[in-house]
Amino acid sequence: MASPLFFKFPEDEKTWGIWDQYMYGKDILVSPVIGEKDSRKVYLPEGSWVDVWDHSNTIEGPTTIEVQTPLFARNGAEKQLPDLKEIYKKSLEIAESRPSPTDGSELTIGF
């Protein structure tokens, strides 16, 4: 269930003024990049937060940071999200190893 930050952090007055970030469930903090930007400022409430795109990046809140991939999970969350950067790398490797129409191969789709 998605909820505004102040539902999960009512004692943190900063969360009451944040309308463009939300909690997905109890452990995932989502901060959409809105408009034609490639990064945004993210407020992380109190606690230890793990960057879902780079699990080696753990940040202690409360703090505000500027990031390109604003998706964080609480450190020690019940459900651990996979390292999205590794999944992205693997998907690129798979895509690059597939034949392309420019290499002389043909793609046949059977019905």
Side-chain angles (χ1 to χ4, degrees):
M1 178 165 133
S3 60
L5 290 182
F6 65 85
F7 275 24
K8 303 292 182 188
F9 305 94
E11 69 291 341
D12 186 338
E13 291 181 18
K14 264 193 159 177
T15 64
W16 287 80
I18 298 173
W19 60 271
D20 61 349
Q21 292 182 217
Y22 62 92
M23 294 297 295
Y24 184 74
K26 64 181 184 176
D27 294 319
I28 300 170
L29 189 145
V30 181
S31 306
V33 177
I34 299 170
E36 295 184 23
K37 301 184 222 171
D38 60 358
S39 66
R40 69 160 289 160
K41 288 186 179 181
V42 174
Y43 177 71
L44 298 173
E46 186 172 336
S48 182
W49 297 90
V50 177
D51 183 338
V52 176
W53 282 92
D54 181 2
H55 284 195
S56 68
N57 187 18
T58 302
I59 301 159
E60 294 298 319
T63 190
T64 300
I65 58 173
E66 178 96 15
V67 292
Q68 290 183 321
T69 54
L71 183 60
F72 293 87
R74 287 190 210 223
N75 199 6
E78 254 179 56
K79 287 188 174 187
Q80 294 296 316
L81 294 176
D83 187 331
L84 295 181
K85 187 189 280 183
E86 286 303 312
I87 291 173
Y88 179 70
K89 282 182 192 176
K90 287 179 186 175
S91 68
L92 284 179
E93 289 171 10
I94 291 168
E96 289 170 356
S97 68
R98 294 185 183 228
S100 68
T102 59
D103 68 4
S105 62
E106 290 185 27
L107 177 62
T108 306
I109 301 174
F111 291 96

